[in-house]
Amino acid sequence: MDNKIKLGIIGCGDIATKKFINAIEQNNNVELISVCDVVKEKAERLYKQKKARSFYMDYNEMLEKEDMDAVIISTPHSYHAGPAIGAAKAGKHILLEKPMAVNIEEVDAIIKAVKENNVKFVPLPFVHSPVFFRCKKMIDEGCIGDVAGADAISISGGYPPSPWYLSKNAGVGAIADLGIYSISTIIALMGHVKKLWCVSAKTVEDVPFGDGVKYKLEQEDCARLMLLFSSGKIGSVTCGWAHGGGTSNVTVYGKRGILILNGWENNQLLYSANGNSDPVSLGHHEKVKFLGINYNIIENLPSYGGPAVQFLVDAIRTDKDLSEYIELNRHIMDVILKSSISCENGTVVEME
């Protein structure tokens, strides 16, 4: 029992916290020992519900006093940098809710603190599921032939759970909050982005919440990105809140077939041969119709929430080098933040 990774949570009030708690409870390798939130009632409630050892309202005090191996940071977007940098300086490994930060200066400051203090850092969303790697392997082995391009989509059936997401104070809108899921996956599959162009819109002026109050929408609630990768391939990403349905997937088009990574955690892989192409021999698999095309289900893992927690645990125990993973996520954040610049200026943006 003593070899469990001891965790703390900073930020107790968001729906993401429930996801992390669920992941912790399903993982025998971790133990929640402390929680922190600026709202005392939220911290105290979670502390009592999950029988943690302590609760705090000041994350600096928690980082100083508690003997923890790592922290999960689930604060609002614009409050990610402070706790992440503080945790790194305190020598705590970090699992950070998406998006990493609200500007590239904060992103780089977090990464600098992580490197200088030699801590493991896992920014979300975590796309590297076993199904993702199966998809990547099939692409690399030529199962769908030469890749022509890829399309991605992440849309939700409603607006976020709290009004703060809609405010300029949130720092970012739907592109970073929701589009990041498919943007992360398409970049992880297709490689470095060379150029991008993005358009966005606000489809409503006000959004009603459960308390009956309407809150002003100050961020974009939908967007579309066009991406040119360094390989010369192109891709597109559609994202938005309140599209009337919830889905996240990436479709990769090859000359011999199509692959679809489906699900917010990339937990399902679909395959279909193109036209007269001979299908890849994959044995007997369940079939499903998707957008009018018959696909074989190659992988179909349950969405259990928590692969990122286990990834952090494994990285800590094996002293895994995460520098490549961190650089990938730095590029993902750069693409997301430059997408907002493209929207504002109506121009194509060149990447580094």
Side-chain angles (χ1 to χ4, degrees):
M1 301 296 288
D2 291 337
N3 64 349
K4 286 188 174 183
I5 300 297
K6 297 187 288 294
L7 290 177
I9 290 182
I10 301 174
C12 302
D14 198 277
I15 190 171
T17 306
K18 297 179 181 178
K19 175 183 68 177
F20 293 131
I21 290 295
N22 180 61
I24 291 169
E25 291 178 339
Q26 294 184 49
N27 194 315
N28 294 324
N29 299 307
V30 298
E31 177 187 5
L32 177 64
I33 66 166
S34 187
V35 299
C36 177
D37 198 285
V38 293
V39 179
K40 181 181 179 181
E41 291 76 12
K42 292 180 180 179
E44 190 171 18
R45 181 168 60 247
L46 187 61
Y47 153 76
K48 290 179 179 178
Q49 287 176 347
K50 301 306 171 184
K51 297 180 173 59
R53 299 180 193 175
S54 59
F55 74 91
Y56 295 85
M57 296 173 62
D58 182 339
Y59 67 81
N60 287 306
E61 184 180 4
M62 183 180 80
L63 292 169
E64 179 184 351
K65 292 183 177 179
E66 293 297 332
D67 179 23
M68 301 179 299
D69 300 298
V71 293
I72 296 174
I73 300 172
S74 185
T75 51
H77 305 331
S78 56
Y79 299 100
H80 283 180
I85 293 169
K89 290 181 176 179
K92 313 300 182 186
H93 306 292
I94 304 162
L95 178 62
L96 179 60
E97 181 56 285
K98 53 79 184 173
M100 196 189 303
V102 297
N103 57 62
I104 203 64
E105 291 76 21
E106 287 186 348
V107 168
D108 287 338
I110 293 171
I111 293 174
K112 181 174 183 288
V114 165
K115 289 181 177 179
E116 286 180 347
N117 294 279
N118 194 31
V119 298
K120 306 304 177 187
F121 176 46
V122 179
L124 298 181
F126 184 72
V127 301
H128 290 162
S129 72
V131 180
F132 168 86
F133 285 114
R134 178 71 186 277
C135 179
K136 187 75 166 61
K137 185 171 185 287
M138 289 181 69
I139 293 171
D140 293 343
E141 291 179 350
C143 292
I144 61 171
D146 293 335
V147 172
D151 294 326
I153 184 170
S154 289
I155 56 174
S156 66
Y159 285 88
S162 301
W164 66 258
Y165 285 85
L166 313 180
S167 169
K168 283 290 184 185
N169 293 331
V172 291
I175 299 172
D177 178 57
L178 200 65
I180 190 170
Y181 289 98
S182 49
I183 292 170
S184 296
T185 300
I186 200 171
I187 291 175
L189 285 174
M190 300 292 290
H192 190 275
V193 174
K194 183 179 180 181
K195 294 181 182 181
L196 66 85
W197 178 66
C198 184
V199 292
S200 66
K202 292 193 296 182
T203 61
V204 296
E205 290 297 321
D206 303 293
V207 179
F209 278 77
D211 55 9
V213 177
K214 288 186 176 182
Y215 293 85
K216 185 173 179 59
L217 177 64
E218 297 178 349
Q219 306 277 12
E220 84 281 351
D221 64 350
C222 64
R224 179 161 293 182
L225 292 73
M226 293 299 300
L227 306 173
L228 174 65
F229 298 98
S230 295
S231 62
K233 312 298 183 182
I234 61 170
S236 71
V237 178
T238 300
C239 58
W241 295 320
H243 274 61
T247 187
S248 183
N249 60 70
V250 176
T251 303
V252 183
Y253 302 97
K255 293 183 178 180
R256 295 181 53 223
I258 301 172
L259 287 169
I260 298 179
L261 265 174
N262 196 30
W264 298 96
E265 294 179 332
N266 291 331
N267 56 304
Q268 185 181 64
L269 178 60
L270 310 178
Y271 161 76
S272 179
N274 276 349
N276 297 321
S277 299
D278 293 330
V280 177
S281 179
L282 298 165
H284 176 71
H285 291 274
E286 181 183 351
K287 294 184 181 295
V288 64
K289 181 164 283 191
F290 190 82
L291 298 178
I293 300 176
N294 288 317
Y295 287 88
N296 287 294
I297 300 177
I298 306 303
E299 298 278 2
N300 195 19
L301 297 178
S303 178
Y304 59 96
V309 173
Q310 187 58 48
F311 183 78
L312 178 63
V313 169
D314 292 341
I316 294 170
R317 288 184 168 172
T318 63
D319 193 25
K320 182 179 177 64
D321 181 3
L322 297 182
S323 56
E324 186 175 341
Y325 178 81
I326 293 170
E327 289 306 313
L328 168 65
N329 280 273
R330 198 269 182 193
H331 180 60
I332 289 166
M333 284 306 308
D334 198 23
V335 168
I336 288 170
L337 293 166
K338 284 194 167 81
S339 294
S340 296
I341 294 173
S342 177
C343 291
E344 292 174 6
N345 298 339
T347 59
V348 172
V349 175
E350 299 269 356
M351 301 298 298
E352 296 175 357

